[in-house]
Amino acid sequence: MIALLLLALALSMDAFAVAIGLGSKHRNHAVRLAALSGLYFGLAQGIMPLIGYIGGRTVLGFIANYAGIIGCIILVGLGGKMLYEALKSDDETPHNLELDLANDPTLAVNHKTLFTLAIATSIDAMAAGFTLNLLTVNAYIACTMIALITAIFSFIGVFLGKQFGTWLEQKAEIFGGIVLIGIGI
């Protein structure tokens, strides 16, 4: 259960970082933005690992002997990607699309934008969903937990961004990357 909680926290960090960016740049109507961010990010982060779980379950029979190694590689790879994106210098390209969209003050935050951000931040959750086949947990409960934790962090992230700006974005990404690598190992 601890591994599942840590996985949920780590997967929510992308959405949390983007929500901070949204809150820092779009300070008007923070309650509405926070509620919509929680809804969109939570749903996407809950559905995508379920897709990965179902896909992994169908493939698991073929690669059962290597499932642990593959799960480790996926989680360490996702964690490494999060760390790389958080630590690379600002002048490098390409930039992180989710953070660019979230931090663009001229961009209206509408349903299409939130949907795009939610999908972009949850792609790694689909890959991580494969690893749910390796844990002794109910995948549907796990995905619900991931969705709820992401929704809560996204909701809070908008208000943190509104209050403090974007200085937490990078720290959230680093934390998430380290946790994913730890779970993988």
Side-chain angles (χ1 to χ4, degrees):
M1 193 63 159
I2 298 292
L4 176 59
L5 182 60
L6 289 173
L7 179 64
L9 284 170
L11 290 176
S12 72
M13 289 299 109
D14 272 350
F16 180 60
V18 171
I20 290 170
L22 287 170
S24 70
K25 302 300 182 195
H26 305 282
R27 295 174 183 233
N28 297 335
H29 311 290
V31 173
R32 179 180 181 277
L33 180 58
L36 287 173
S37 294
L39 177 69
Y40 275 92
F41 292 134
L43 282 174
Q45 289 282 21
I47 292 170
M48 292 299 236
L50 188 59
I51 293 169
Y53 167 76
I54 292 168
R57 189 174 55 184
T58 60
V59 176
L60 196 58
F62 298 115
I63 57 169
N65 293 336
Y66 306 104
I69 294 169
I70 293 169
C72 174
I73 290 169
I74 289 171
L75 290 174
V76 170
L78 290 173
K81 177 183 170 281
M82 285 179 74
L83 283 174
Y84 172 76
E85 288 177 356
L87 296 174
K88 70 181 180 182
S89 67
D90 290 336
D91 57 330
E92 287 185 34
T93 56
H95 285 89
N96 189 333
L97 172 65
E98 305 101 59
L99 294 179
D100 286 348
L101 286 173
N103 289 324
D104 185 354
T106 63
L107 185 66
V109 182
N110 55 31
H111 294 287
K112 181 180 176 184
T113 302
L114 285 172
F115 179 77
T116 302
L117 290 170
I119 297 301
T121 59
S122 64
I123 297 296
D124 57 348
M126 185 169 41
F130 172 82
T131 64
L132 292 177
N133 290 292
L134 308 174
L135 301 174
T136 56
V137 296
N138 180 312
Y140 300 102
I141 292 172
C143 291
T144 302
M145 180 183 278
I146 291 167
L148 289 174
I149 288 175
T150 301
I152 291 167
F153 270 84
S154 298
F155 184 86
I156 292 169
V158 169
F159 291 108
L160 288 175
K162 179 181 178 186
Q163 186 68 30
F164 300 111
T166 60
W167 69 271
L168 276 177
E169 283 176 302
Q170 181 184 29
K171 291 164 184 56
E173 291 279 333
I174 291 170
F175 172 76
I178 291 170
V179 170
L180 283 176
I181 290 170
I183 293 170
I185 293 172

